[in-house]
Amino acid sequence: MVRLALVPVFAWLLFAGGTGARLAALVVFCVASATDWVDGELARRRDLVTDFGKIADPIADKALTGSALIGLSALGELWWWVTAVVLVREIGITLLRFVVIRYGVIPASKGGKLKTMLQVIAITLFIVPGPLDPLRWAVMGAALIVTVVTGLDYLVRAWRLRREAVR
């Protein structure tokens, strides 16, 4: 829930302009991203993995990364087509998870976790002021590839889940 609450604060700071606001946006984005790791660690250590968490966690991830990607594209710092590919995958897979929830929950895969990590690193590099373009684009390219591949993996997993449940 903290991650969701930080999304509007992050977006406001991203658009505020100036180096100070940009650095503050970076800090808020990093803190919000860190809550994902902290939440996961606490849930695993205390054996509190819930169906709600399996659904709410990806939604919080999408809200944070989606606002960052849209903001960076609106500021002219990230191509819109990159944002579109990522958002179509993210929204599509989230909707897919809701559609197949009557058959079971599709938990995050290791590839999905790698995708999230690469997206967070790439977005962080885009938020950081300064000349980091080759590194930014290399990490964003890797994130984009993993985003598409894991999206296809989720489609296959959802199809299998539904097929097995119908049997």
Side-chain angles (χ1 to χ4, degrees):
M1 299 310 283
V2 171
R3 201 169 339 140
L4 284 173
L6 289 174
V7 169
V9 176
F10 162 73
W12 180 77
L13 288 167
L14 186 64
F15 283 104
T19 303
R22 190 61 173 243
L23 291 173
L26 175 65
V27 169
V28 170
F29 182 80
C30 290
V31 167
S33 297
T35 66
D36 185 28
W37 179 81
V38 170
D39 176 53
E41 282 298 308
L42 286 174
R44 281 184 288 280
R45 283 186 190 167
R46 297 183 178 170
D47 198 28
L48 296 173
V49 178
T50 64
D51 287 345
F52 173 77
K54 290 177 184 176
I55 298 298
D57 183 65
I59 290 171
D61 288 343
K62 272 68 169 166
L64 181 62
T65 58
S67 67
L69 293 167
I70 290 168
L72 291 166
S73 291
L75 291 169
E77 298 176 27
L78 180 66
W79 291 323
W80 277 105
W81 71 265
V82 172
T83 296
V85 168
V86 173
L87 291 182
V88 165
R89 184 271 190 208
E90 300 298 346
I91 293 167
I93 296 305
T94 300
L95 292 174
L96 177 68
R97 288 173 129 182
F98 283 119
V99 168
V100 300
I101 199 164
R102 65 180 154 215
Y103 306 113
V105 174
I106 303 174
S109 66
K110 288 183 182 180
K113 292 177 183 184
L114 174 63
K115 179 257 328 165
T116 300
M117 182 185 69
L118 286 171
Q119 285 178 357
V120 166
I121 293 169
I123 290 167
T124 300
L125 290 169
F126 272 88
I127 296 170
V128 171
L132 299 170
D133 285 344
L135 181 58
R136 285 178 178 131
W137 285 108
V139 177
M140 186 59 78
L144 198 58
I145 290 166
V146 174
T147 297
V148 171
V149 169
T150 58
L152 295 172
D153 176 59
Y154 272 104
L155 287 172
V156 169
R157 291 169 62 197
W159 179 76
R160 286 181 183 154
L161 178 66
R162 184 191 173 283
R163 187 184 69 196
E164 290 171 12
V166 170
R167 286 184 191 172

